[in-house]
Amino acid sequence: MTQGDAELVALAQAGDAAALGVLLAGHEAEMRAVAVSILGYGPDAEDAVQDAMVVALRRIGEVRDPSAAGPWLRAIVRNNSRMTLRGPRAVPVAEPEWFARPADTPTPEEALDRGAMRDWVWHAIGQLSEPDRLVTLLRYFSDASSYEQIAAVCGIPVGTVRSRLSHARRALSDGLRTAASAAHADVTASSESRWREGRDMIATAMGGDFDRVVRDSWWPDAEMVVPGGLRVGRDLAVEGMNCDLAAGVRQRLRNVVSSGDVLLWETDLISPPDDPEHCPPSALWLQVLREGRVRQLTLFHPVPAREIRQPALL
């Protein structure tokens, strides 16, 4: 079915989610066979297949040889499975070099944002429950992407992370299998608005007026969960930011991801020149909203994916 695969890939790259669903359904049995051959029957094998489906959803635009979609999908499953054997890992997106595009290829997130399938993807993520959507955003769109880090951010066991991700991936892949070509709202305007809002708020905070940011965008009873699990109110959150500013720490917004009432900011933390080890290199601000205002913010310092990613088996 090589010619059929080429046609389906072309349609999927043009934004046809249903075509990608047909492509994945046609290769699902082979993908599962690869996972089972490495991991045996069980949840790890199913996770490897479902992860590959989400990776395909995000990276179908990077396929250079549409007629080789089957080997491409099986290679993703194979690498996912082998990385599972090696232990905790970041988002599994490795594939053989002969499928790769040149070095200037956009990142998966950039390709997704630019691709015609972008609106379907964000619509589908938005249909997930808040707990499932939260772990999905962390897993696939943040540096806090390992099961252990997601568990720490969300304050839940690793097993719960696995089950929520499994449910979310199953919902996304089932959505692909039944996808229609109906149009979904363009998310570009919303994404750009969130970026502007984030940049403005960070700039205001760095100017010494974090108190105004909190007053304008947090509920009065909002709480902040700091590393270690301590929960504090708005006043202590402002006090903590002011202490960092007084010490010479600055933050730069690097990534914004949002879906429904879940908003993620990732910032680079810049320590003062005379104290370069004052703070971790980055921070993740997990904001859960209610009617557009923050009801809970969790501050987390992720281990960058490049530090925890296992070597790809190519």
Side-chain angles (χ1 to χ4, degrees), residues 208-248:
D209 204 0
F210 186 57
D211 181 60
R212 179 159 65 89
V213 171
V214 169
R215 290 197 312 270
D216 291 347
S217 61
W218 293 31
W219 286 98
D221 60 348
E223 63 178 9
M224 180 175 181
V225 183
V226 299
L230 179 66
R231 297 172 181 267
V232 302
R234 299 197 321 177
D235 290 345
L236 285 178
V238 171
E239 181 180 333
M241 174 64 78
N242 289 339
C243 286
D244 281 346
L245 291 173

Side-chain angles (χ1 to χ4, degrees), residues 85-108:
L85 292 177
R86 289 185 166 214
R89 66 198 192 284
V91 181
V93 296
E95 62 240 38
E97 291 179 351
W98 51 282
F99 285 121
R101 286 194 167 190
D104 61 353
T105 297
T107 65

